[in-house]
Amino acid sequence: MERTFIAIKPDGVQRSLIAEIISRFERKGFKLVAIKIVVPSKNFAEKHYHDLKERPFFNGLCDFLSSGPVVAMVWEGEGVIKYGRKLIGATDPQKSEPGTIRGDLAVVVGRNIIHGSDGPETAKDEINLWFKPEELVNYTNNAEKWVYGDN
Ligand code: GTP
Ligand code: MG
């Protein structure tokens, strides 16, 4: 089953939005298979955002991600990578639709509270960067048969 990497950034943690954010993924029907709270080093943040290293905001972004606790998670479900991005909303909260996490809960692009992998390759790389294989839990959630039916 498809998996994606989701992180609640330091602003989301400080604003007490952990439960709110987890709840949106959980209520949708996605399954939490890994979770931890960590303060990433600057070097680790640079690895996570390596694709953006030429951008003018890269240094500030990495300083910010490493400025406090981050809740790192892996969520599993059919279409979770793409639909997870839909739940999150557009990068700039000024452009995110109401009803999305960033649309409802954030105001500026530099403090948009959550990260989600943008495709299958980045999902795989980010899960491997943030988690050891043994930190991912394989289990059956009893609600699955109600979320997916018999097929
Ligand atoms: P992530 O899920 O965090 O990766 O966001 P994204 O995929 O929606 O956007 P992208 O990967 O392009 O940018 C990563 C992060 O950099 C964003 O979430 C923002 O926090 C930050 N960012 C992107 N564009 C800007 C910008 O123009 N200015 C500033 N200050 N930050 C930006
Ligand atoms: Mg991104």
Side-chain angles (χ1 to χ4, degrees), residues 25-26 28 45 54 61 80 87 110 113 115 117-118 141 147:
F25 279 83
E26 199 175 34
K28 170 73 176 165
E54 305 304 332
L61 177 63
V80 69
L87 288 178
I113 70 172
H115 162 84
S117 305
D118 61 13
N141 179 322
V147 173

Side-chain angles (χ1 to χ4, degrees), residues 51-120:
D51 282 351
L52 299 173
K53 65 172 176 288
E54 305 304 332
R55 307 296 290 275
F57 54 83
F58 178 71
N59 191 50
L61 177 63
C62 295
D63 274 339
F64 175 61
L65 193 71
S66 56
S67 69
V70 169
V71 175
M73 298 178 278
V74 179
W75 285 87
E76 184 180 292
E78 213 169 288
V80 69
I81 299 174
K82 206 165 168 196
Y83 206 90
R85 299 271 294 181
K86 256 189 178 170
L87 288 178
I88 289 170
T91 307
D92 180 354
Q94 296 286 340
K95 299 191 178 120
S96 319
E97 296 295 326
T100 64
I101 291 168
R102 287 170 176 162
D104 288 350
L105 306 171
V107 181
V108 298
V109 70
R111 296 292 183 273
N112 62 4
I113 70 172
I114 180 166
H115 162 84
S117 305
D118 61 13

